[in-house]
Amino acid sequence: MSGRRWRPTPLILGTFGLHAGAAAGLVIAPAQWPAIAWALVGNHALLTAAGLWPRSRLLGPNLLRLPAAAVARREIAITIDDGPDPEVTPHVLDLLDTHKARATFFCIGERALTHRDLCTEIVRRGHAVENHTQRHFHNFSMLGPRGFEREITAAQDTLTGITGSRPRFFRAPAGLRNPFLEPVLAKLDLQLASWTRRGFDTVRRDPDYVAGRLLHQLAPGDILLLHDGHAARTASDRPVVLEVLPRLLDACAARSLAPVTLRAGTA
Ligand SMILES: [Zn+2]
């Protein structure tokens, strides 16, 4: 495995500079310590805010849309998180097949271990399996470098062992992270992928709402987020994703948009 070089963003470089300056300032002008402390507090608040904003690029590269070549090919990427799920994923795969669509599944390592056959079936049908951590911790964004590396490497090994293909993209649980994530992703040669729009289909039970969010200004290059795991249920107890996905795929067909994997869309 050969990682890529970690390139700190301007915000990260500024943070290093500020900390060095603060240390020097405390030596040269110790009486200024309140101002120095406030500067550090402000800097940390900014870093935290950037980590709580899934589509932010302040902490490192973050794929929010497919590149221009994919836009020219009228491609979009449907990404499906938190599976595999024995009840939902098989239906999702059938819907995608019916529409000759390809999708990217951000799988949780432990769920992939429990449902190995489903995980291999995803790949057999032409889709991609990518890394969504081994255990999908709710406090994932509070981990440090070692915690990140442990969770992400475990999922890399699990998913590669099951599918035979090493994940190239990573998505953080709920998209939340902190400045220690990007150096780990660089080391593991993974690219952070977020989304253009999400449907909130793990919390919203109304398929009209979820579909409306995803279809609003649907355009080539969009990366859309749905879930086969943790799916919210409609009033008639159907997983929301199964109501929304057919509408989304019909809308793609009507607009001559081709749903492809993130791998294909960024190739
Ligand atoms: Zn998730």
Side-chain angles (χ1 to χ4, degrees):
M1 179 189 62
S2 61
R4 60 190 158 80
R5 221 163 76 87
W6 174 54
R7 291 174 200 281
T9 60
L11 175 62
I12 301 295
L13 288 172
T15 298
F16 289 148
L18 181 69
H19 282 73
L26 286 174
V27 172
I28 298 163
Q32 295 301 315
W33 70 266
I36 293 168
W38 277 115
L40 293 176
V41 167
N43 172 252
H44 281 255
L46 188 56
L47 290 174
T48 303
L52 296 177
W53 173 22
R55 302 180 73 247
S56 151
R57 285 175 164 150
L58 293 170
L59 301 179
N62 188 1
L63 188 68
L64 308 178
R65 299 184 58 79
L66 297 177
V71 173
R73 298 190 296 260
R74 295 193 66 78
E75 293 172 350
I76 71 155
I78 299 172
T79 63
I80 302 174
D81 288 14
D82 293 4
D85 180 278
E87 185 199 346
V88 178
T89 311
H91 296 295
V92 167
L93 290 173
D94 289 345
L95 286 168
L96 292 169
D97 271 355
T98 306
H99 290 79
K100 295 186 169 50
R102 295 284 180 268
T104 300
F105 289 77
F106 280 92
C107 289
I108 299 170
E110 281 195 339
R111 288 194 165 203
L113 283 173
T114 310
H115 309 291
R116 282 173 169 271
D117 294 351
L118 259 180
C119 201
T120 51
E121 184 67 5
I122 291 170
V123 173
R124 194 188 68 76
R125 300 232 206 154
H127 310 292
V129 166
E130 307 291 356
N131 188 326
H132 196 39
T133 75
Q134 183 72 358
R135 286 171 284 186
H136 204 268
F137 286 144
H138 291 295
N139 65 346
F140 178 81
S141 68
M142 321 261 273
L143 297 179
R146 273 199 299 275
F148 281 146
E149 186 160 350
R150 208 168 37 237
E151 268 296 294
I152 299 168
T153 302
Q156 282 296 84
D157 293 345
T158 297
L159 299 171
T160 307
I162 294 172
T163 67
S165 172
R166 202 158 187 82
R168 295 181 210 167
F169 293 93
F170 175 78
R171 182 171 283 156
L176 309 182
R177 61 202 191 282
N178 70 43
F180 294 117
L181 178 63
E182 179 51 27
V184 173
L185 295 183
K187 182 176 170 187
L188 299 174
D189 203 16
L190 280 165
Q191 190 178 352
L192 184 71
S194 297
W195 50 81
T196 312
R197 282 186 307 285
R198 56 176 157 173
F200 293 105
D201 57 320
T202 59
V203 288
R204 301 300 294 242
R205 307 180 62 196
D206 177 5
D208 290 338
Y209 172 87
V210 174
R213 279 192 57 94
L214 294 175
L215 295 179
H216 179 65
Q217 297 183 332
L218 183 68
D222 283 358
I223 299 174
L224 303 177
L225 168 57
L226 281 164
H227 292 79
D228 54 352
H230 301 132
R233 300 273 173 164
T234 65
S236 53
D237 203 32
R238 283 253 299 162
V240 169
V241 60
L242 299 183
E243 299 276 325
V244 171
L245 192 55
R247 294 195 214 176
L248 173 58
L249 293 168
D250 283 341
C252 288
R255 290 165 219 207
S256 306
L257 297 172
V260 301
T261 62
L262 285 179
R263 295 179 184 201
T266 54

